[in-house]
């Protein structure tokens, strides 16, 4: 009974203790052979992020002050209240996702319940900064882009 009360209080406070997402860390000083599961063992490239199978509650976290080159291309599905979050970690200026001439710096395809925040998006040589696409996928909801 005590556990149910604590869980209820946390949910009312906006904290869901039942969310079981993973945090994936990225730093330009990291390596794609790392686990990516802590700031001490980050992945190093957007190409590795593109290979991940993201689930509801997962977060992709890019190190503040770093510049990542290429296209981040995700097709992922969060849930209402358990979104997939693409954001930053650490202190300093927002990390830069630089398309460097790719079609887009960040392409989000057929995705739902995804939050993109606390990043700088650049693609001076390419066509798009953020490119949202949906193909024969029905209604797409819960896409939040803020604080870029």
């Amino acid at each position: 009974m005590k556990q149910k009360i604590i869980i209820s209080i946390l949910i009312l406070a906006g904290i869901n203790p039942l969310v079981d997402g993973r945090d994936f860390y990225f730093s330009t000083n990291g390596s794609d052979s790392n686990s990516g599961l802590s700031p001490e063992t980050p992945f190093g490239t957007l190409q590795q992020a593109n290979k991940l199978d993201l689930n509801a509650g997962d977060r992709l976290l890019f190190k503040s002050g770093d510049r990542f080159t290429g296209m981040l291309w995700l097709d992922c599905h969060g849930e209402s209240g358990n979104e997939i979050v693409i954001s930053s970690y650490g202190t300093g200026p927002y990390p830069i996702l630089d398309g460097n001439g790719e079609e887009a710096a960040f392409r989000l395809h057929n995705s739902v319940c995804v939050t993109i925040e606390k990043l700088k998006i650049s693609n001076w040589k390419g066509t798009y900064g953020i490119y949202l696409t949906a193909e024969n996928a029905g209604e797409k909801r819960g896409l939040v882009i803020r604080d870029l």
Side-chain angles (χ1 to χ4, degrees), residues 45-141:
T45 68
L46 294 176
Q47 290 74 22
Q48 182 63 32
N50 295 341
K51 295 176 186 177
L52 295 173
D53 182 21
L54 298 175
N55 299 302
D58 286 350
R59 299 189 311 163
L60 293 184
L61 302 170
F62 296 91
K63 186 175 182 184
S64 294
D66 282 1
R67 175 184 293 270
F68 300 87
T69 304
M71 179 168 36
L72 178 60
W73 180 322
L74 301 177
D75 183 338
C76 53
H77 301 85
E79 299 170 353
S80 182
N82 199 15
E83 293 79 8
I84 293 171
V85 176
I86 318 302
S87 189
S88 62
Y89 73 96
T91 58
Y94 289 165
I96 300 169
L97 302 186
D98 183 353
N100 195 36
E102 295 282 346
E103 177 185 29
F106 189 166
R107 183 170 182 175
L108 196 59
H109 181 72
N110 285 347
S111 298
V112 295
C113 295
V114 177
T115 298
I116 304 165
E117 63 183 10
K118 299 180 182 175
L119 301 169
K120 182 175 180 184
I121 308 294
S122 175
N123 195 18
W124 290 106
K125 298 177 188 175
T127 306
Y128 304 104
I130 298 176
Y131 187 25
L132 305 175
T133 59
E135 296 178 49
N136 302 317
E139 179 182 344
K140 296 295 150 198
R141 57 182 166 62

